[in-house]
């Protein structure tokens, strides 16, 4: 895509382009921490090339990346290292990352610069808006949601991102045969995810009914995950593919 927008001011995330246009319960709390100087400079240098906005409207991935390749979407990439690792390990694939927190966007753009990655694009808005307003149907080969906020208190479970309505909207963006890969280190959320996915029309569990998946080799292990494993915390992966 040639007509890239100017980067938003990292100090002003609510000026002309709100993080979300959706009303109602949100799955995230916007905690805008301070960007480091390195993150801010990477954002200012690289957002015009790698940033995508709601104002771009419905994208054509082939135009955005200049080729026809396997297309991955990661929702909530945090500080971006895992996404950068995956993009570096698979230069033949393309990756779109979505993150509402600016320090994470700046951190990913710094990784993109440092590694010379050309197969990454970034949204700094609510994933729901990306799904509804920016991605054409059946354009994705894989959607990844790794370690979303578990909202562990029962009264907050309605805020969890993985819900039946969300899964069906993801389904329409996946090609038939495309994969939805979920991962969490909260057992209760893993059980919730499995219940939602088992009842979701148009999806089948790649491991068989009710079965969690071994961690695929192409999902990087984060420092947080390694620390959790040392403390005896479990991690649950779910891989479901679109059947129709």
């Amino acid at each position: 895509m040639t007509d890239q927008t100017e980067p938003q001011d990292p100090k002003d995330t609510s000026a002309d382009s709100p993080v979300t246009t959706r009303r109602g319960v949100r799955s995230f709390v916007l905690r805008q921490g301070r960007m480091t100087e390195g993150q801010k400079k990477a954002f200012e240098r690289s957002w015009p090339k790698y940033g995508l906005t709601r104002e771009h409207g419905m994208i054509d991935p082939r135009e955005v990346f200049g080729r026809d390749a396997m297309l991955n979407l990661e929702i909530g990439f945090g500080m971006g290292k895992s996404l950068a690792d995956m993009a570096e390990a698979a230069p033949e694939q393309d990756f779109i990352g979505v993150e509402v927190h600016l320090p994470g966007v700046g951190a990913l753009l710094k990784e993109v610069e440092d590694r010379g990655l050309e197969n990454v694009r970034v949204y700094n808005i609510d994933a729901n808006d990306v799904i509804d307003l920016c991605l054409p149907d059946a354009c994705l080969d894989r959607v990844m949601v790794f370690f979303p906020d578990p909202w562990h208190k029962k009264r907050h479970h309605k805020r969890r991102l993985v819900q039946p309505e969300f899964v069906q909207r993801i389904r329409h963006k996946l090609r038939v045969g495309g994969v939805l890969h979920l991962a969490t280190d909260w057992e209760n959320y893993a059980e919730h995810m499995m219940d939602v996915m088992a009842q979701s029309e148009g999806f089948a569990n790649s491991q068989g009914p009710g079965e969690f998946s071994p961690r695929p080799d192409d999902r990087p292990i984060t420092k947080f995950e390694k620390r959790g494993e040392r403390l005896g915390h479990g991690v649950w992966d779910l891989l479901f593919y679109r059947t129709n």
Side-chain angles (χ1 to χ4, degrees):
M1 185 170 292
T2 55
D3 59 330
Q4 300 290 357
T5 57
E6 289 298 314
Q8 67 183 98
D9 183 348
K11 298 178 182 176
D12 183 8
T13 60
S14 60
D16 300 317
S17 185
V19 167
T20 184
T21 63
R22 288 172 63 89
R23 298 188 177 187
V25 176
R26 293 187 187 180
S27 63
F28 60 89
V29 175
L30 199 59
R31 299 179 290 267
Q32 290 294 7
R34 185 182 297 276
M35 297 176 81
T36 67
E37 195 62 28
Q39 291 166 359
K40 183 178 178 181
K41 287 180 177 178
F43 185 99
E44 291 169 348
R45 286 190 302 262
S46 291
W47 180 260
K49 180 176 181 180
Y50 298 102
L52 294 170
T53 72
R54 194 182 296 110
E55 289 67 37
H56 282 105
M58 202 70 71
I59 65 169
D60 179 347
R62 292 169 298 183
E63 184 180 340
V64 169
F65 290 97
R67 64 178 181 176
D68 188 4
M70 178 176 172
L71 184 60
N72 303 273
L73 174 72
E74 182 174 4
I75 294 173
F77 59 73
M79 299 307 285
K81 186 178 183 302
S82 292
L83 178 54
D85 286 345
M86 290 188 291
E88 186 174 36
E92 75 284 359
Q93 300 179 25
D94 293 327
F95 294 80
I96 296 175
V98 182
E99 179 56 60
V100 295
H101 301 292
L102 265 176
V105 174
L108 174 60
L109 290 174
K110 190 172 187 308
E111 293 279 356
V112 165
E113 287 185 347
D114 291 346
R115 304 182 194 213
L117 303 177
E118 296 293 335
N119 58 338
V120 175
R121 297 296 184 273
V122 188
Y123 281 102
N124 179 217
I125 54 176
D126 183 0
N128 288 294
D129 280 2
V130 175
I131 294 164
D132 293 340
L133 306 175
C134 304
L135 296 177
D137 287 349
C139 73
L140 299 171
D141 293 279
R142 180 171 53 168
V143 176
M144 299 168 287
V145 185
F146 298 155
F147 307 103
D149 192 327
W151 293 103
H152 55 277
K153 293 181 180 178
K154 190 170 184 179
R155 68 176 184 273
H156 291 155
H157 284 187
K158 63 185 177 182
R159 293 185 175 273
R160 288 175 167 176
L161 181 63
V162 179
Q163 304 288 355
E165 184 264 350
F166 173 80
V167 168
Q168 285 305 310
R169 285 165 48 237
I170 288 288
R171 173 188 163 209
H172 292 298
K173 303 305 172 180
L174 282 167
R175 64 169 177 82
V176 173
V179 172
L180 174 56
H181 182 181
L182 310 173
T184 182
D185 58 344
W186 283 80
E187 186 172 11
N188 176 266
Y189 199 2
E191 293 168 350
H192 168 87
M193 289 175 171
M194 185 63 77
D195 287 344
V196 168
M197 294 306 303
Q199 298 175 47
S200 291
E201 179 187 353
F203 279 101
N205 189 332
S206 65
Q207 302 297 307
E211 295 295 323
F212 293 98
S213 173
R215 180 186 63 83
D217 291 339
D218 57 3
R219 179 175 74 74
I221 302 177
T222 66
K223 289 181 181 178
F224 174 80
E225 187 177 353
K226 288 178 181 176
R227 185 174 70 241
E229 287 180 347
R230 287 197 300 270
L231 296 172
H233 298 172
V235 174
W236 293 265
D237 284 80
L238 300 81
L239 274 74
F240 280 74
Y241 61 91
R242 181 182 175 182
T243 57
N244 61 58

